[in-house]
């Protein structure tokens, strides 16, 4: 289980403990955080990681701590030892997170240097690249979307919100190194600055020009509604299975039985691990009006769960059903 950090006191106590601490900076509104939470909860069950403590922290509830560690997007996981950050993983990267936690946990205390541990100093170019790529669309502005601190930033936010854009922001007033460094890095002297896929688009005037020309609307990422996301997922393959785990490593008995049955048919199918996305896990129950997993869809239509698949198999109609012929 991951423990909650609710105050600066909790935070100080957690990272100062003699054991390694993994702190997940998260937000309830970000579905990606559910994926990282699930990964950390699985790691917490690993007996080899018994000396690692796992925590979660609402990034927006403790802004001073978040700004101290330059948390510009969630999820972000920081690894601490003896009160110092020794590594971090930005974004949804389960493999990298697992690798880093296990690697640092395997380091014996006797092998560590005496005195405080300092994380390697990140050079400015690497820092700027990391921040620019924190989101597909990234805005460097004065203030934040709820409280812009200049008219140009306020107009930029209004435009993006009006387009229902999906974007992240960084308040340049909180870090003068980033503020000055980005001017040279991008060869652009003013703010706000907007980036898409790591490339500079420009400032407010450029955005307005591109909107008038119809270019900007085709470039900007749009927020995806959950129903649209689920419709896309259930239609991803002719036969789509939502399960716990994957075909090679099912994580519940029902999913394992279903995989055995489907493999016997010799038909192709795709799967989605609901443990990696809590929003999909909960949303699909309402979307399909089916409360349990696994769930099997054929050509976007729900067939049912394991019991239904067993009944169809016993009747001899399983293959035609999976082919959409029944």
């Amino acid at each position: 289980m991951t423990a909650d950090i609710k105050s600066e006191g909790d935070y100080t106590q957690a990272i100062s403990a003699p054991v390694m601490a993994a702190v997940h900076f998260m937000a309830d509104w970000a579905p990606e955080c559910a994926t990282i939470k699930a990964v950390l909860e699985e790691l917490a069950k690993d007996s080899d990681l018994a000396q690692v403590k796992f925590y979660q922290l609402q990034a927006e509830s403790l802004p001073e701590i978040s700004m101290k560690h330059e948390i510009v997007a969630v999820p972000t996981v920081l690894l601490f030892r003896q009160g110092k950050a020794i590594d971090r993983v930005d974004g949804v990267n389960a493999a990298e997170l697992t690798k880093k936690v296990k690697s640092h946990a395997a380091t014996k205390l006797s092998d560590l240097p005496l005195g405080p541990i300092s994380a390697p100093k990140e050079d400015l170019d690497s820092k700027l690249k990391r921040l620019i790529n924190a989101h597909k669309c990234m805005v460097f502005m004065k203030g934040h979307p709820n409280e812009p601190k200049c008219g140009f930033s306020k107009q930029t936010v209004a435009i993006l919100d009006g387009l229902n854009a999906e974007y992240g922001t960084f308040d340049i007033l909180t870090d003068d190194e980033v503020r000055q460094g980005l001017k040279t890095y991008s060869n652009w002297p003013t703010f706000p600055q907007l980036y898409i896929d790591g490339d500079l688009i420009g400032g407010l005037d450029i955005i307005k020009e591109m909107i008038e020309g119809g270019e900007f609307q085709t470039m900007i990422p749009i927020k995806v509604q959950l129903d649209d996301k689920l419709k896309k997922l259930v239609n991803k393959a002719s036969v789509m299975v939502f399960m716990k785990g994957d075909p090679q490593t099912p994580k519940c008995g029902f999913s394992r039985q279903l995989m055995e049955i489907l493999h016997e048919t010799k038909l192709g199918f795709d799967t989605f691990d609901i443990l990696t996305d809590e929003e999909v896990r909960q949303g699909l129950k309402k979307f399909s009006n089916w409360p349990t997993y696994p769930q099997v869809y054929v050509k976007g239509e729900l067939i049912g769960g394991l019991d239904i698949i067993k009944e169809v198999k016993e009747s001899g109609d399983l293959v035609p059903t999976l082919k959409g012929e029944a």
Side-chain angles (χ1 to χ4, degrees):
M1 289 292 292
T2 53
D4 288 316
I5 291 177
K6 297 182 178 179
S7 66
E8 291 195 21
D10 291 344
Y11 160 77
T12 301
Q13 183 178 0
I15 69 169
S16 301
V19 297
M20 191 177 92
V23 180
H24 175 201
F25 288 78
M26 50 86 71
D28 289 333
W29 50 261
E32 299 88 351
C33 292
T35 301
I36 294 303
K37 181 178 180 180
V39 171
L40 293 177
E41 289 182 345
E42 286 300 313
L43 288 173
K45 298 174 185 176
D46 190 334
S47 58
D48 292 335
L49 302 176
Q51 295 303 311
V52 180
K53 300 300 182 184
F54 297 90
Y55 301 92
Q56 62 182 22
L57 181 159
Q58 293 283 344
E60 294 178 345
S61 297
L62 296 170
E64 291 185 1
I65 296 174
S66 297
M67 285 192 292
K68 176 182 177 181
H69 295 293
E70 297 170 359
I71 307 298
V72 297
V74 291
T76 294
V77 177
L78 265 62
L79 305 182
F80 293 88
R81 203 188 282 273
Q82 297 178 8
K84 297 291 184 180
I86 57 174
D87 215 334
R88 68 187 289 152
V89 178
D90 294 278
V92 184
N93 194 329
E96 182 184 9
L97 176 57
T98 300
K99 180 181 178 181
K100 287 190 174 184
V101 170
K102 291 186 175 181
S103 175
H104 286 292
T107 304
K108 298 178 182 178
L109 286 174
S110 58
D111 295 334
L112 295 172
L114 296 175
I117 300 172
S118 297
K121 176 67 175 177
E122 185 179 26
D123 67 86
L124 181 57
D125 272 9
S126 297
K127 180 178 180 178
L128 295 176
K129 286 178 183 177
R130 174 172 61 80
L131 292 173
I132 287 168
N133 288 281
H135 292 269
K136 180 178 176 66
C137 176
M138 190 71 189
V139 182
F140 292 83
M141 61 181 286
K142 294 179 180 179
H144 53 80
N146 293 331
E147 192 178 346
K149 293 185 178 177
C150 80
F152 300 122
S153 294
K154 185 176 182 179
Q155 289 183 62
T156 300
V157 167
I159 288 171
L160 293 174
D161 288 344
L163 293 172
N164 195 33
E166 183 76 46
Y167 65 97
T169 66
F170 183 88
D171 181 0
I172 58 166
L173 299 179
T174 65
D175 191 324
D176 198 56
E177 182 184 45
V178 169
R179 181 178 184 175
Q180 301 304 327
L182 203 57
K183 294 178 183 179
T184 303
Y185 181 89
S186 63
N187 194 26
W188 195 271
T190 59
F191 292 95
Q193 294 181 13
L194 183 141
Y195 294 76
I196 295 179
D197 290 327
D199 294 325
L200 175 68
I201 302 303
L204 177 61
D205 288 344
I206 299 297
I207 293 172
K208 287 181 175 179
E209 289 176 11
M210 293 181 70
I211 288 175
E212 288 179 7
E215 301 171 72
F216 193 70
Q217 295 88 324
T218 63
M219 299 171 61
I220 201 78
I222 303 300
K223 292 178 182 177
V224 178
Q225 298 299 317
L226 180 57
D227 273 9
D228 293 335
K229 180 179 181 179
L230 296 176
K231 286 176 185 176
K232 186 175 180 180
L233 280 173
V234 299
N235 286 281
K236 183 181 177 183
S238 179
V239 178
M240 192 69 196
V241 180
F242 293 82
M243 61 183 289
K244 294 180 180 179
D246 55 59
Q248 288 71 41
T249 53
K251 293 184 178 177
C252 78
F254 300 124
S255 294
R256 182 175 293 106
Q257 290 182 60
L258 179 61
M259 289 300 101
E260 292 172 355
I261 293 172
L262 293 181
H263 284 310
E264 289 175 2
T265 67
K266 308 294 184 184
L267 297 176
F269 61 91
D270 202 351
T271 65
F272 183 91
D273 182 359
I274 59 166
L275 298 179
T276 65
D277 193 323
E278 187 66 16
E279 184 183 45
V280 170
R281 182 179 184 175
Q282 300 303 329
L284 201 59
K285 294 177 183 179
K286 296 179 181 178
F287 180 85
S288 63
N289 195 27
W290 195 272
T292 59
Y293 291 97
Q295 293 183 15
V296 179
Y297 291 76
V298 173
K299 297 181 179 179
E301 297 294 330
L302 175 68
I303 300 301
L306 178 61
D307 289 343
I308 299 297
I309 294 298
K310 283 182 174 179
E311 291 176 8
V312 176
K313 179 185 177 184
E314 289 175 5
S315 69
D317 294 326
L318 181 57
V319 171
T321 297
L322 296 177
K323 287 183 176 180
E325 299 170 354

